Amino acid sequence: MKKSGILMILMMIGILTTAFSPIGDKLVSSETHIKFFSTTPVEDIEANNFKSVSTFNQATGEWVFSMPMQSFEFEKSMMQKNFNNDKFLDTKSNPKATLKATLSNPEKVNFNKAGVYSALVTGNLTSNGVTK
């Protein structure tokens, strides 16, 4: 058990260090994982998207995510069908969502050391033609 935990940590460090490609002050990742979870009285809803891309500018703290909406994967096919349906998100007409945000607490993140950091971001999410 302990060996598998150490192996998992080493694999995550390897993924984190290869997931971002440096371009000047910017880090670009084509391996961004977006997940959402919602609980309802009837059942929990969870979806994952492994086809998102992100760019992070270390100098300014600006972060941009682009998510192809039809790439969200649900455990139940009916949830995925309803999510993509024209009565909900209409992902054929609105194929992607974007999040443009700024890292509010860059002092909490050591950009020179791979790891997991609690980060606060504020910004605007645009989905289905609406920005909030």
Side-chain angles (χ1 to χ4, degrees):
M1 182 71 171
K2 193 171 187 174
K3 284 184 183 181
S4 63
I6 292 170
L7 182 60
M8 184 77 107
I9 290 169
L10 291 174
M11 285 175 39
M12 289 184 66
I13 290 171
I15 290 169
L16 288 174
T17 57
T18 60
F20 282 100
S21 305
I23 301 175
D25 283 339
K26 294 183 180 179
L27 299 174
V28 179
S29 174
S30 60
E31 299 178 14
T32 304
H33 174 206
I34 305 289
K35 175 182 178 179
F36 72 78
F37 177 82
S38 176
T39 185
T40 70
V42 177
E43 63 187 331
D44 292 339
I45 302 167
E46 182 177 332
N48 292 281
N49 187 328
F50 294 95
K51 300 198 178 189
S52 303
V53 295
S54 64
T55 303
F56 179 69
N57 186 326
Q58 293 181 72
T60 63
E62 294 174 326
W63 214 322
V64 178
F65 291 89
S66 179
M67 299 156 271
M69 296 306 286
Q70 289 185 344
S71 295
F72 277 99
E73 301 169 358
F74 294 78
E75 184 177 323
K76 296 181 178 177
S77 62
M78 185 55 82
M79 287 181 186
Q80 190 154 345
K81 182 178 178 183
N82 289 337
F83 179 81
N84 291 312
N85 188 306
D86 62 352
K87 293 179 183 172
F88 189 63
L89 282 181
D90 193 11
T91 58
K92 285 188 180 182
S93 297
N94 301 287
K96 75 174 184 175
T98 56
L99 172 64
K100 294 180 181 180
T102 303
L103 182 63
S104 299
N105 60 343
E107 70 282 353
K108 299 283 185 178
V109 180
N110 182 351
F111 294 107
N112 296 315
K113 183 178 178 188
V116 176
Y117 301 95
S118 294
L120 177 63
V121 295
T122 56
N124 295 308
L125 174 67
T126 303
S127 177
N128 207 21
V130 177
T131 300
K132 291 192 174 190

